[in-house]
Every structure is written in structure tokens, then in C-alpha cells.
Amino acid sequence: MSFKFIYSSCPLKKATAIETVYALGNGHFGVRSSNPLQGDNPDYPGQPGLFINGFYDLTAIHYGEDYPGYPQNSQTICQLPDPRFMVLEIDGLRSDEETFKIRLVDKNLNLKTGLLLEIFEITSPTDKTVRLTMQSFASQDDRRLFGVSYSLSALNFAGSVKLNKQHRYTQQQIPEHVTDIRNVQRQSQLTITYQEADHPTLQMITRKSQLAVTLQLQPLNVDGQPIPKLTTQDQLPTYVTEFNLVPGIAQHADFVYSIGYPHPIVVANSEPDTQDQTLATETFTTLLNKSASKWSTFWDNSDVELAGDAKLAKSIRFNLFHLNQAAGRDGMTSIPAKGLTGSGYEGHYFWDAEMFMLPFFIFTQPDTARQILSYRYSKLLQAQKRARAMNVKKRRAVPVAHH
């Protein structure tokens, strides 16, 4: 089975739409395929971010007339730092401080392996252009891991280029659209602290819901390539990789993120979610292969073969790909209405998950189906309490005849 979903055949032109279509996820988290230089820079179009299933904050809801049973707070999935983000420095000018021109050359999602391959041409204010080939994947093997590889080559010069990786942007907010609930984004605030660890480890805490997650960044071994050096920039731990580029020869740096699970802050402080992992012997390729093996099992159980209409066959496979990326598998989460591709519908779960999506998992991944149902079952008491508050009278169960 060999197939791809190619950017050049995609009719969508808006950056935000492309970011959604090519988002990567694994049921635990999702990452939008944004401009890697974006951060929270308003000079670049897009809405970058990381979204963790079940990690949300609260916003008070105000009514002109309030009645018993009305919800008092909204629950909105949080937009977190973009793990794709990096800063390029050329001739002392940084892409987060100056406007670098960035052109998308190609964007290629391999549905078979889950690998996203992108090519950009980036031009500095001094008219030096580098080609960035970027590869990334959300691991299906260890659902905490997100791998990203940067390959740089000079196109019109020879000289030094620095690639900086740090977590600085945590308040990336999508503008609120009052006319389209799918795009709503509440203004949540996050408290951030760095924990003592062998690698930069960021703890993020929501202001109202008091949930905490950790995000750790590690460099991966790349034979014969410059070694990222851990230093401090703007009082933040930063990996800096310095390349001496010449035209025609690519150099690269690989990183892996370990993305923790949400915990109440009391639990997180008493039982730290240690993110340090034994990845010293791993490479981007070995981690990718482990994830691709899981995708292979998925396609063995789930693929729909359709002859005579290649475009429709690819569309079906694309939808299956995103279904698999969206489903929570821990019994504590479900399938958000727009998956983990962004903050659409505030990350809420609806009855659509059981009515429309659960049957697919029942027939192809029964263990995942069980976890999705376990989430709904765990909320049964709260649902009954809510029904009483809404004055829904308790009804006696109707006996079912057995044949």
C-alpha cells in the first residue's frame, strides 16, 4: 500500500486551513502544521499550537437572566507552545525579532507512516536564503513523544546559521469568532515554571481549572552533525545548534518532545510526572520506525480498498487517518468534535463520538472503543446529577426481552 496526501492537490489556500488538514496527533495530543518561525509573531499568518486531550481551563459564563441548571463555566482546551517552533539567526538577526520571508515549497503527509515532510525557503533581511527540510511525527508507539527534524542547506551563500530551540510562547490565542462557535477561543492564562531535570522541562498550570502538564525537550543523536548546546537565552534554557553552511550540503538537528498527561496540580506536585526518559540510544529514525509500525497495524485492520476512483480512495484513507489521530485511549478522554487539530468547539466531546465515530473503532480497534466508552461511563453520575438540575425526571428502566 503506497499513498500520500499531497499539498499541491489540496484546494485549501488559507494558512489556518492547511495547518488543520496537516495536523499530527495520537489521541493524547495534536500539533498544528504551522509556519515553524511563527511563534506568536503577528507578521506571519497562522494559528500554531499544541493541544493536549483533556487539558482545559475554565471561563465564567454570564447570563442576562440566570436559571437553575445553567452551566456557570465554559471548559476550553488550552493552546500550548508549538513544538515545531524554532528561531533562525543569520548575520546576528533573529527570525523572532526581524521579519524573515518564508515560502512553502512542498508539504507532503505520508498516511502510511504518519510522517509529515515539509520544505521551506527562508530568506533573511540580508537576502541570504536557506532551504529548510522539516520532518515530524506524533508517535503512535509512545504517545508522549513528538519528533521533529530540521535539515538546513544554503542556497545563495556560505556562512554561519544558528538554530535555536526554546519554549517562550505560551499565550498563543486564536481570535474569538462570535459568529462561529467552531472557532471560539476563551482567554485563558497559563502559569509556567521550569523544573529541575537533565533537559529543559516546562510545567504549565491553568489558572482556573488548576490542571498541570509538563513538556520536555531533548536533542537526538545525529552522527557527524553539530551537537546542540544547552545554554540560557532571555533567562530561558535554550538549545543552540550552529551550522557552517555551504551550498549543496545539508546539515540537520533532531529533537524529541515528551508531552505529559494532565493532572490536578495537587497530584502533579505530590507525584511529579517525570519526563526524563532513556532516549540516549534513540534516533529520529528509530523512533519514527516504532511509530510507523503501529500505523502499519492500524492499516492492516482498518484500510478500505476502493478501485476505480483514486481520489475518493485517498479521501477515505485521509479520514481514517484523522479518526485514528483523534481518539483518546486512556479511559479519561474521548474524541473532540474537531479532533486534536485545534481549539474548534473548545475541544468538547459530543454525542457524535458515540453515534458516528465509535462504530468504526468497535469493528477495527475494540480496545480503543472500550476506552472511549469507559470515558462516557465514568461521567454517568455527573450526567445524572446534571439531568436532575435540569428537572429531567428519573425514569425506571424498561426491561429488555431476551430471545
Side-chain angles (χ1 to χ4, degrees):
M1 178 178 58
S2 177
F3 51 87
K4 295 178 181 179
F5 189 75
I6 307 299
Y7 169 80
S8 59
S9 66
C10 181
L12 303 174
K13 299 299 182 183
K14 289 184 63 177
T16 51
I18 294 299
E19 289 174 3
T20 300
V21 167
Y22 290 96
L24 297 176
N26 59 17
H28 168 42
F29 66 83
V31 178
R32 291 174 63 79
S33 64
S34 60
N35 176 341
L37 301 185
Q38 172 107 32
D40 60 359
N41 191 329
D43 291 337
Y44 302 118
Q47 298 169 352
L50 161 71
F51 297 86
I52 297 177
N53 205 351
F55 188 64
Y56 66 92
D57 205 5
L58 303 172
T59 303
I61 300 177
H62 302 285
Y63 301 95
E65 296 183 9
D66 200 358
Y67 293 93
Y70 277 24
Q72 299 304 304
N73 295 286
S74 68
Q75 298 176 338
T76 306
I77 195 169
C78 296
Q79 191 172 7
L80 304 177
D82 178 16
R84 297 163 50 88
F85 174 71
M86 54 87 167
V87 174
L88 280 184
E89 184 176 338
I90 302 176
D91 294 332
L93 302 176
R94 293 168 54 102
S95 59
D96 60 339
E97 297 174 351
E98 306 285 341
T99 300
F100 281 50
K101 297 177 182 178
I102 182 165
R103 183 175 75 87
L104 175 63
V105 177
D106 193 20
K107 192 182 283 274
N108 186 341
L109 175 60
N110 189 322
L111 301 179
K112 186 176 180 181
T113 64
L115 179 68
L116 178 62
L117 171 66
E118 301 161 280
I119 300 174
F120 303 90
E121 288 185 358
I122 302 172
T123 303
S124 74
T126 55
D127 289 327
K128 292 182 177 179
T129 300
V130 297
R131 169 162 287 191
L132 168 65
T133 301
M134 183 173 169
Q135 300 181 85
S136 56
F137 68 95
S139 178
Q140 307 297 314
D141 176 61
D142 184 337
R143 297 186 185 279
R144 295 172 297 176
L145 301 184
F146 179 81
V148 58
S149 173
Y150 305 100
S151 176
L152 293 173
S153 60
L155 295 185
N156 63 353
F157 73 101
S160 173
V161 173
K162 292 181 180 179
L163 187 154
N164 303 328
K165 288 286 292 181
Q166 67 176 193
H167 305 305
R168 189 157 34 134
Y169 303 102
T170 58
Q171 303 302 335
Q172 301 163 329
Q173 298 294 340
I174 295 175
E176 185 168 349
H177 296 264
V178 296
T179 59
D180 190 345
I181 188 63
R182 295 173 299 176
N183 294 324
V184 69
Q185 170 72 23
R186 313 291 179 181
Q187 297 297 307
S188 62
Q189 295 293 317
L190 299 173
T191 300
I192 63 170
T193 57
Y194 278 89
Q195 299 177 328
E196 290 293 330
D198 292 339
H199 305 281
T201 303
L202 176 67
Q203 184 185 61
M204 295 168 285
I205 303 171
T206 56
R207 193 72 57 86
K208 298 290 183 62
S209 62
Q210 287 292 283
L211 294 175
V213 296
T214 54
L215 180 68
Q216 185 182 84
L217 171 65
Q218 294 186 41
L220 292 169
N221 291 326
V222 184
D223 291 339
Q225 297 296 303
I227 300 174
K229 296 179 180 179
L230 183 59
T231 182
T232 300
Q233 291 184 0
D234 305 320
Q235 300 182 324
L236 297 177
T238 307
Y239 278 111
V240 179
T241 311
E242 184 168 2
F243 303 100
N244 290 311
L245 298 182
V246 295
I249 299 179
Q251 299 186 53
H252 63 274
D254 299 344
F255 298 89
V256 64
Y257 285 84
S258 184
I259 299 165
Y261 288 87
H263 297 288
I265 184 60
V266 175
V267 175
N269 288 338
S270 61
E271 303 176 17
D273 184 8
T274 303
Q275 293 298 298
D276 280 315
Q277 300 184 58
T278 306
L279 297 173
T281 61
E282 299 283 8
T283 66
F284 182 88
T285 300
T286 60
L287 292 174
L288 171 63
N289 288 342
K290 291 177 182 180
S291 177
S293 176
K294 298 296 183 179
W295 273 114
S296 178
T297 301
F298 167 78
W299 289 115
D300 286 343
N301 296 330
S302 309
D303 190 24
V304 175
E305 295 185 6
L306 180 65
D309 192 331
K311 184 176 181 180
L312 180 58
K314 184 167 62 176
S315 298
I316 292 173
R317 284 168 168 163
F318 176 74
N319 280 277
L320 297 180
F321 180 86
H322 268 285
L323 266 176
N324 190 53
Q325 290 199 130
R329 291 166 168 82
D330 56 4
M332 305 295 292
T333 54
S334 184
I335 308 175
K338 288 181 72 67
L340 293 165
T341 64
S343 63
Y345 289 111
E346 302 185 71
H348 291 178
Y349 314 134
F350 296 117
W351 56 268
D352 307 55
E354 286 79 20
M355 291 295 291
F356 299 135
M357 292 177 274
L358 180 64
F360 164 73
F361 291 101
I362 290 175
F363 286 106
T364 62
Q365 299 179 70
D367 289 341
T368 298
R370 178 184 292 274
Q371 295 302 320
I372 295 170
L373 285 176
S374 294
Y375 162 79
R376 189 64 73 185
Y377 178 77
S378 72
K379 302 301 179 185
L380 184 58
L381 292 179
Q382 293 96 316
Q384 291 172 339
K385 183 178 179 180
R386 172 74 175 154
R388 300 294 89 78
M390 295 299 293
N391 202 31
V392 176
K393 298 186 182 299
K394 185 175 183 181
R395 294 186 177 183
R396 186 174 60 184
V398 178
V400 177
H402 296 278
H403 299 283

